[in-house]
């Protein structure tokens, strides 16, 4: 019951953001709030969590490999479904479809969800999977599109993509330096650690409020069968496959298992839409996937939580 109450409290914060955008907030007023969340609050929470954990608590290669394998299988399922059910033959489009069906809303929903449900014991898995998602899903999708467009020319373009998708990503940078401080067992000055302790708690409510404010449901009337297929893949097939890979591998760390399934069960993250927009590949459809999966996840994520907790 506690898990269900937690998940509904998270969605209530999303609802407040949706209401706020349509009553007292303007579109421009949300820009600095989103900047605060993405560049300050989320990195502070991630860094603050990582540097205090022993390195072996979040670096578990077998668990990460199981999650990655399950995600790759899900991406293939999404792409093959679009290829055979909806006659989509363009490789760039299939890449974006696979991203829509596997990339979760790690930052805005994953962090508060796992923190709210599992607390500190789930942080090691949370941090590792977020890092994995940014490296292999966002970075990998961009690499595939770039390689297809450039027909494999040179490595300079590949390095530029890695730079833009990782090295300038505050979530990746904060996590990396948190890992570095943890590995070197560096003791932070009290002024710095106190500031982080003040800033990090703002992540959960503000991130969910911003997510709610960004939702636009009026465009759902344009959705098609392919959109619903991707939503089913994201909310149902992805967590099922991740559960199957963990079970088949005999991995029994409950914190990692629950964190992995909850993260896989989340709706499509907004970064998938950003990538679609950047390359002008089915941008509207990607936006709709984010919106519809977020709406339906109110029920689906609650069911996953109820089943597993």
């Amino acid at each position: 019951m506690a898990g269900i109450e937690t998940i509904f409290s998270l969605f209530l914060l999303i609802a407040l953001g949706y209401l706020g955008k349509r009553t007292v907030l303007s579109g421009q007023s949300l820009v600095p709030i989103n900047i605060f969340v993405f560049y300050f609050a989320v990195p502070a929470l991630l860094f603050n969590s990582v540097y205090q954990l022993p390195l072996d608590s979040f670096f578990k290669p077998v668990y990460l490999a199981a999650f990655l394998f399950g995600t790759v299988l899900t991406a293939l399922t999404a792409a093959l479904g679009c290829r055979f059910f909806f006659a989509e033959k363009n490789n760039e489009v299939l890449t974006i479809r696979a991203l829509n069906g596997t990339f979760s809303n790690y930052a805005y929903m994953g962090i508060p969800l796992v923190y709210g449900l599992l607390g500190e014991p789930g942080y090691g898995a949370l941090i590792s999977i977020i890092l994995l998602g940014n490296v292999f899903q966002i970075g990998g999708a961009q690499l595939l599109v770039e390689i297809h467009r450039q027909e494999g020319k040179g490595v300079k373009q590949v390095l530029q993509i890695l730079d833009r998708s990782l090295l300038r990503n505050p979530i990746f940078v904060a996590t990396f330096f948190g890992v570095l401080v943890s590995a070197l067992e560096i003791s932070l000055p009290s002024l710095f650690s106190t500031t982080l302790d003040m800033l990090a708690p703002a992540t959960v409510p503000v991130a969910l409020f911003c997510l709610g404010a960004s939702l636009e449901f009026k465009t759902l009337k344009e959705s098609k069968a392919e959109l619903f297929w991707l939503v089913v893949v994201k909310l149902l097939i992805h967590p099922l496959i991740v559960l199957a890979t963990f079970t088949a591998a005999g991995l029994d760390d409950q914190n990692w298992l629950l964190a992995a399934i909850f993260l896989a069960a989340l709706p499509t993250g907004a970064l998938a839409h950003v990538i679609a927009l950047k390359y002008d590949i089915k941008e509207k459809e990607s936006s709709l996937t984010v919106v519809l999966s977020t709406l339906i996840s109110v029920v689906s994520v609650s069911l996953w939580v109820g089943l597993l907790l």
Side-chain angles (χ1 to χ4, degrees):
M1 180 61 70
I4 296 296
E5 291 178 353
T6 299
I7 191 65
F8 272 103
S9 69
L10 299 179
F11 281 113
L12 181 58
L13 286 169
I14 295 175
L16 288 174
Y18 182 81
L19 179 63
K21 172 65 180 298
R22 283 138 192 87
T23 53
V24 297
L25 296 175
S26 65
Q28 291 184 340
S29 66
L30 286 171
V31 173
I33 301 177
N34 275 289
I35 291 174
F36 168 75
V37 171
F38 189 71
Y39 286 95
F40 296 95
V42 171
L45 178 62
L46 292 175
F47 180 88
N48 203 33
S49 302
V50 173
Y51 92 90
Q52 300 181 66
L53 295 174
L55 192 61
D56 58 2
S57 69
F58 55 83
F59 183 66
K60 294 190 175 183
V62 177
Y63 284 85
L64 288 173
F67 184 85
L68 180 60
F69 183 68
T71 298
V72 170
L73 288 180
T74 306
L76 290 174
T77 300
L80 291 174
C82 292
R83 173 67 178 85
F84 292 107
F85 298 151
F86 307 106
E88 180 57 67
K89 299 180 180 179
N90 186 295
N91 288 332
E92 292 183 12
V93 173
L94 291 175
T95 298
I96 296 301
R97 291 289 191 251
L99 186 64
N100 289 160
T102 58
F103 185 76
S104 298
N105 194 334
Y106 295 121
Y108 277 17
M109 288 186 69
I111 293 172
L113 177 70
V114 173
Y115 181 80
L117 296 175
L118 304 180
E120 292 294 335
Y123 251 58
L126 171 66
I127 300 305
S128 300
I129 291 172
I130 287 178
L131 185 59
L132 188 74
N134 279 277
V135 172
F136 287 97
Q137 292 177 265
I138 294 299
Q142 292 184 84
L143 284 174
L144 288 174
V145 172
E146 289 286 344
I147 290 172
H148 181 266
R149 291 188 174 184
Q150 297 168 11
E151 298 180 354
K153 296 178 182 178
V155 297
K156 183 178 180 180
Q157 293 84 352
V158 173
L159 295 176
Q160 289 174 344
I161 294 302
L162 289 174
D163 176 42
R164 290 193 294 268
S165 61
L166 296 178
L167 301 182
R168 302 186 192 186
N169 185 322
I171 294 175
F172 174 82
V173 172
T175 305
F176 173 79
F177 279 105
V179 171
L180 184 63
V181 171
S182 173
L184 297 178
E185 299 182 350
I186 298 174
S187 179
L188 296 180
S190 59
L191 176 63
F192 189 56
S193 60
T194 301
T195 302
L196 287 173
D197 289 338
M198 296 173 63
L199 182 58
T203 301
V204 175
V206 181
L208 293 175
F209 186 91
C210 289
L211 175 63
S214 69
L215 296 179
E216 291 289 346
F217 296 115
K218 62 184 179 181
T219 56
L220 287 176
K221 61 183 180 181
E222 303 174 18
S223 61
K224 299 179 181 179
E226 189 174 7
L227 168 63
F228 287 98
W229 161 247
L230 292 173
V231 171
V232 169
V233 170
K234 185 69 205 72
L235 300 180
L236 178 62
I237 296 178
H238 190 194
L240 280 175
I241 290 180
V242 169
L243 174 59
T245 57
F246 271 65
T247 302
L251 304 178
D252 56 2
D253 186 316
Q254 286 300 302
N255 289 317
W256 271 84
L257 176 63
L258 292 174
I261 295 173
F262 290 153
L263 290 172
L266 291 176
T268 304
L271 279 180
H273 171 247
V274 171
I275 301 303
L277 181 62
K278 171 183 173 60
Y279 291 105
D280 192 23
I281 304 172
K282 300 293 184 179
E283 176 268 334
K284 180 183 293 185
E285 289 83 350
S286 291
S287 175
L288 289 171
T289 305
V290 173
V291 173
L292 185 58
S293 64
T294 300
L295 176 63
I296 298 176
S297 70
V298 174
V299 175
S300 64
V301 173
S302 299
L303 290 175
W304 280 109
V305 172
L307 287 171
L308 296 174
L309 286 183

